[in-house]
Amino acid sequence: MDTRNLSILIVYCFLSTCFIAVSFAQKPADLMSNCNQWKITYPNGSEVKTLCTEPSNEYFYVNNTGNAIVFRAPVRSDNGTTPNSSYIRSELRERETDGSKDIYWTTEGKHMVYVKQAITHLPINKSHLVATQIHGNKDDGIDDSMVLRLEDFHLFLSFNGGKLREDLTIKTNYILGTKHEVIFVVEDGKHYCYYSEDDNLLAAYNSGNADAYLVKDGENDFVMDLNYDENIDVSNLKSGLYIFSSSSGLGTVNKRVLKK
């Protein structure tokens, strides 16, 4: 089983009972149990692979109370983008555990990411953003295979822009600033999503009692059944802020806070 966690505020040991509390962080890595396993892309297009020593900056910083990481993406004329994208991001991308290189995986076995977060701002001109995603190979039609997306008040799962299956609504009345937990699980092709606003999801998942938090599609407890074979071995986990705005929306500021 391949279980990964982006743990913010409390360093959780997944599938066990131990944890380490962080009282007041000085830099984002202080709130991450596995800072080597992630790199970040900033809205100016730069990429940093050494998060363990990365200080707080205007795009990626610790909040005033020292208990949360803020991802910020101001829309400016000097923004930069990544290849195959027209939009900006302040976003983490999964790497090998030791940080030696980017990680890629198929849907064989089990993969999991957990995030506790709040979306606090949306872009002005186009009020859409992605908060958490499983990312694949655009050339093979597995670009953003499953993402958590907010458009105005509509919070939903999107599957490569509707190319893999239709969108699946989580809620239609999301209020900016609402703290929530999300777990994505991919196990032998089956994609699962858990969502909670009561702060009990992680404990329920670790104890094997999280079924009540599953986002379901009819009778199925999974939301998509899709295998990425050896020819599409390019899936990875991303978490952060990816917005659907460019320099035409100057002055727009968006934040996503991962917090207790």
Side-chain angles (χ1 to χ4, degrees), residues 42-216:
Y42 288 133
N44 60 10
S46 65
E47 182 180 273
V48 175
K49 299 178 181 179
T50 53
L51 289 189
C52 293
T53 57
E54 179 76 351
S56 288
N57 57 69
E58 66 168 317
Y59 307 124
F60 179 60
Y61 58 92
V62 175
N63 67 344
N64 290 336
T65 55
N67 67 348
I69 296 174
V70 181
F71 295 83
R72 179 173 179 263
V75 183
R76 298 170 178 158
S77 59
D78 61 349
N79 286 147
T81 63
T82 55
N84 301 316
S85 176
S86 301
Y87 301 120
I88 65 172
R89 68 190 72 211
S90 180
E91 185 178 51
L92 300 176
R93 196 266 193 216
E94 181 190 20
R95 292 171 62 77
E96 295 285 354
T97 304
D98 62 1
S100 59
K101 60 183 179 179
D102 292 347
I103 198 168
Y104 303 96
W105 43 267
T106 69
T107 52
E108 183 179 353
K110 185 173 183 178
H111 312 268
M112 183 267 262
V113 64
Y114 163 80
V115 185
K116 183 186 290 187
Q117 63 189 10
I119 300 168
T120 61
H121 292 70
L122 284 170
I124 295 172
N125 288 353
K126 187 176 182 180
S127 51
H128 301 175
L129 65 76
V130 163
T132 306
Q133 64 174 307
I134 300 173
H135 197 270
N137 189 346
K138 192 171 186 177
D139 293 336
D140 287 314
I142 311 292
D143 184 9
D144 44 359
S145 58
M146 185 166 79
V147 308
L148 181 71
R149 180 164 172 158
L150 180 64
E151 296 185 1
D152 298 313
F153 305 103
H154 184 204
L155 187 67
F156 62 98
L157 297 175
S158 177
F159 305 84
N160 205 24
K163 295 177 181 177
L164 301 178
R165 60 148 295 168
E166 68 276 7
D167 296 339
L168 186 59
T169 294
I170 294 177
K171 63 187 306 181
T172 58
N173 59 346
Y174 180 82
I175 298 173
L176 290 178
T178 300
K179 181 176 61 178
H180 55 281
E181 296 172 281
V182 179
I183 291 175
F184 281 179
V185 175
V186 178
E187 185 169 9
D188 295 329
K190 290 183 170 60
H191 294 56
Y192 302 85
C193 176
Y194 300 79
Y195 179 87
S196 170
E197 295 180 3
D198 65 10
D199 208 26
N200 293 319
L201 174 58
L202 185 61
Y205 183 86
N206 285 342
S207 64
N209 297 307
D211 286 358
Y213 299 107
L214 276 166
V215 177
K216 294 189 176 183

